[in-house]
Amino acid sequence: MSSLSTLRMNGPNRDYYQRKRGEGRKHQQPLIALARRRVDVLWALMQDNRCCQLQPPSTAAR
């Protein structure tokens, strides 16, 4: 579900999914690859005892 929700927004996760689709894979295979990639990142953060700090998007003054 996490992988599906990231496909709605532009960003590195969507780019990764699109790249896998461009390789000729059907929907399910890139989705599983994206989920695995996200788990790998989470695992690496846990191994390093680092805290993931999300920075809110900057808003341009209008």
Side-chain angles (χ1 to χ4, degrees):
M1 291 179 72
S2 172
S3 297
L4 278 174
S5 66
T6 63
L7 296 180
R8 295 182 185 165
M9 297 179 286
N10 289 331
N13 291 317
R14 185 178 177 127
D15 295 341
Y16 181 78
Y17 174 84
Q18 292 297 335
R19 189 169 59 244
K20 291 293 183 184
R21 286 295 303 237
E23 293 174 2
R25 300 174 196 267
K26 297 191 183 218
H27 170 72
Q28 195 67 27
Q29 291 172 318
L31 191 64
I32 291 170
L34 178 58
R36 174 61 190 249
R37 182 180 183 197
R38 291 174 59 83
V39 168
D40 288 345
V41 168
L42 184 61
W43 181 254
L45 287 171
M46 290 172 47
Q47 292 298 315
D48 293 343
N49 283 335
R50 286 191 287 167
C51 182
C52 180
Q53 297 178 357
L54 299 176
Q55 297 178 0
S58 62
T59 55
R62 293 183 182 208

